[in-house]
Amino acid sequence: MKAQWHSWAVTPDATSAAAPGPVGTRDTRQRRAVLEVLDGEDGFRSAQAIHATLREAGVKIGLATVYRSLNSLSDAGSVDVLRDGAGEQLFRRCGGGSHHHHLVCRACGTTVEVESDSVESWAARVGREHGFSEVQHTIEVFGTCEACARSVASPDG
Amino acid sequence: MKAQWHSWAVTPDATSAAAPGPVGTRDTRQRRAVLEVLDGEDGFRSAQAIHATLREAGVKIGLATVYRSLNSLSDAGSVDVLRDGAGEQLFRRCGGGSHHHHLVCRACGTTVEVESDSVESWAARVGREHGFSEVQHTIEVFGTCEACARSVASPDG
DNA sequence: ACATTAGATGAGATTGATTATCAATACAAA
DNA sequence: TTTGTATTGATAATCAATCTCATCTAATGT
């Protein structure tokens, strides 16, 4: 449950100053930069990788801010999060709000969004049949994409 | 690479002694204890929880050993591993070597093993259709089991 | 443009899970 | 038993992710 921060609680004489927007929506140079990196990538990337990319590009930004931006974007449903084999969080800008899953290249992170009604209903049914409620699921498919498979077979430096 | 501190740098006619079995298979009090805890549980448990259980039961065992045991068991395919929402590893003794997935109670960890050929083939097909090779997948279903749902509705603590 | 204020930032400290170190120990074979 | 090495364990180290808090700044009102 999020706290309310609008003045419609009409605090006595606190009405003096501003009516700031909700938390996590203020437009800042740093958040814009994080979004730009995400929009420029087609695969999942770690927070640390995104931070490194920004610093290398000359953007002055703290690691904590990268994490904060990614988390609020994630809360807002604007980015998808998954964990790699080591348990590290990976982030990616994903389309729309529609529920989907990912086919991710282990080597380069390139990602294809995939959907399947049958899998969705399978997960829901499995939960229901065993008396579970509030059923969710996590499905990720990993593999080696064509390009990476080729470059392993014939590394041309 | 591990440093050696024993004097076997003196391997003169090293054929002398034993022919020890493969690494990770030696029968020790600690490994037996970890397996016992796993066999006594029906849900996924964290390494730290397993360690705590053992210590409370009076078993003298180090946390590092619990992790090592769980990891070698996992490598051997004797236990399944998944990560909870926080990214923490959870372990569970699972049946046979047959590929399956889990329906896990968020509250108590109780787990049901589930199988589905259609889901397996769906994952494989999705990868193939996009030119991915060495396709793997992770599928976990989370929910609240009947018992936990009841105890939330009417806590009789 | 200026003042105001609460959200946002960042360098560094902190947490927390997991792994590495390495001397001491225990298992298994002879 | 003896021997050789895998295993153990207390603790340090690692690493991702979060928290602290003084400072900054975007957003709004005047």
Side-chain angles (χ1 to χ4, degrees):
Chain A
M1 155 83 83
K2 278 182 182 170
Q4 302 298 340
W5 44 87
H6 278 292
S7 53
W8 45 291
V10 190
T11 12
D13 10 284
T15 41
S16 48
V23 176
T25 62
R26 185 178 284 183
D27 183 38
T28 70
R29 171 179 61 79
Q30 290 89 338
R31 284 181 194 168
R32 253 192 315 270
V34 170
L35 268 177
E36 251 174 63
V37 172
L38 287 171
D39 285 333
E41 299 281 356
D42 67 330
F44 277 88
R45 293 289 180 274
S46 72
Q48 316 241 6
I50 292 168
H51 180 240
T53 299
L54 286 167
R55 298 302 278 267
E56 284 166 24
V59 177
K60 196 167 176 303
I61 185 172
L63 179 59
T65 299
V66 174
Y67 274 105
R68 276 188 291 242
S69 300
L70 290 170
N71 283 338
S72 62
L73 285 168
S74 169
D75 290 344
S78 303
V79 305
D80 285 357
V81 192
L82 62 82
R83 287 179 188 277
D84 64 13
E88 186 174 7
Q89 286 181 299
L90 301 178
F91 303 84
R92 177 172 185 270
R93 191 87 196 259
C94 276
S98 74
H99 183 78
H100 61 266
H101 299 285
H102 304 102
L103 170 60
V104 187
C105 175
R106 252 186 296 274
C108 68
T110 294
T111 298
V112 180
E113 297 183 20
V114 296
E115 289 180 77
S116 168
D117 292 336
S118 64
V119 171
E120 300 302 319
S121 57
W122 168 81
R125 177 163 40 78
V126 162
R128 198 183 325 120
E129 284 175 353
H130 290 277
F132 280 57
S133 50
E134 301 179 88
V135 178
Q136 295 181 321
H137 60 264
T138 66
I139 300 178
E140 308 294 344
V141 186
F142 295 94
T144 305
C145 75
E146 259 183 308
C148 289
R150 254 200 307 277
S151 65
V152 168
S154 62
D156 61 45
Chain B
M1 161 78 80
K2 279 180 184 173
Q4 303 298 341
W5 48 90
H6 279 289
S7 53
W8 57 291
V10 193
T11 350
D13 14 279
T15 41
S16 49
V23 176
T25 61
R26 185 177 283 182
D27 182 38
T28 69
R29 171 178 60 81
Q30 291 89 338
R31 284 180 192 166
R32 254 192 315 270
V34 169
L35 268 178
E36 250 174 63
V37 171
L38 287 170
D39 284 333
E41 299 281 356
D42 68 330
F44 277 89
R45 293 288 181 273
S46 73
Q48 316 239 10
I50 291 168
H51 180 240
T53 298
L54 286 167
R55 297 303 277 267
E56 284 166 23
V59 178
K60 197 166 175 303
I61 186 173
L63 179 59
T65 299
V66 174
Y67 273 105
R68 275 187 294 243
S69 300
L70 290 170
N71 283 338
S72 63
L73 286 168
S74 169
D75 289 344
S78 303
V79 305
D80 284 357
V81 192
L82 61 83
R83 287 179 189 276
D84 64 13
E88 186 174 7
Q89 285 182 299
L90 302 178
F91 304 83
R92 177 173 186 270
R93 191 87 196 261
C94 276
S98 73
H99 183 78
H100 61 266
H101 298 285
H102 305 102
L103 169 60
V104 187
C105 176
R106 252 186 295 273
C108 66
T110 294
T111 298
V112 181
E113 296 183 21
V114 296
E115 287 181 77
S116 168
D117 291 337
S118 63
V119 170
E120 300 303 319
S121 56
W122 168 82
R125 178 163 40 79
V126 162
R128 199 183 324 120
E129 284 175 353
H130 290 276
F132 280 57
S133 52
E134 301 179 90
V135 178
Q136 294 180 321
H137 59 264
T138 65
I139 300 179
E140 308 296 344
V141 186
F142 295 94
T144 305
C145 75
E146 257 183 312
C148 288
R150 254 199 306 277
S151 65
V152 168
S154 61
D156 62 47

